[in-house]
Amino acid sequence: MNLDPTALIVAYSTAWLLGFILFVLLWIFIIRTAVLSALRKHHAETQAERRAAAARGLPQ
């Protein structure tokens, strides 16, 4: 079986590029999930502080 070197280069480059794009998208998803989780936690903590301050009659 005789393989064309140009076709191999194109196939290798395409596979590398697709793998890199998938890797970047995976990291974007992971970072986005972590940031949204931290924002939800911060929001919950802030709301709890506001409720506690309101219960004590302090200004918010």
Side-chain angles (χ1 to χ4, degrees):
M1 183 165 94
N2 193 4
L3 298 175
D4 183 20
T6 305
L8 288 176
I9 292 171
V10 170
Y12 176 77
S13 300
T14 303
W16 186 90
L17 185 60
L18 287 174
F20 181 75
I21 290 171
L22 287 175
F23 177 76
V24 169
L25 289 175
L26 177 66
W27 271 107
I28 289 171
F29 176 75
I30 291 170
I31 291 169
R32 179 181 175 271
T33 303
V35 168
L36 289 176
S37 176
L39 285 174
R40 278 192 293 274
K41 182 178 178 185
H42 176 69
H43 179 70
E45 290 171 350
T46 305
Q47 290 297 336
E49 290 173 4
R50 287 184 181 172
R51 281 193 290 271
R56 290 189 305 260
L58 299 174
Q60 300 173 7

